[in-house]
Amino acid sequence: QMSDKELQQRVQRLNMEDNYTRMMMHREHLKQGEDYVNKMLDVSAVAVRGATTALTIALLVKQLKG
């Protein structure tokens, strides 16, 4: 038999543990999303550099041809 106060403390503790677990899971999801976005930005940067290089070469060839 638990007193009302003991039961309340136990329930409060379990609620706090549940909240903590949910917060940590949410935090991990945010981290995964951040990692994905950063990877996509890196890929995009490489693509833009490649396109810029190709365009620069094309313009230089055009200038050389007159």
Side-chain angles (χ1 to χ4, degrees), residues 3 5 8 10 13 15 27 48 50 55 62:
S3 69
K5 184 174 182 166
Q8 183 180 22
R10 179 79 53 96
R13 173 63 190 210
N15 284 335
R27 184 176 176 187
V48 167
L55 181 58
K62 184 177 179 181

Side-chain angles (χ1 to χ4, degrees), residues 27-43:
R27 184 176 176 187
E28 181 58 32
H29 275 101
L30 289 176
K31 177 73 174 122
Q32 289 173 352
E34 180 183 6
D35 290 346
Y36 177 78
V37 168
N38 285 334
K39 184 183 284 187
M40 291 301 107
L41 288 173
D42 289 344
V43 168

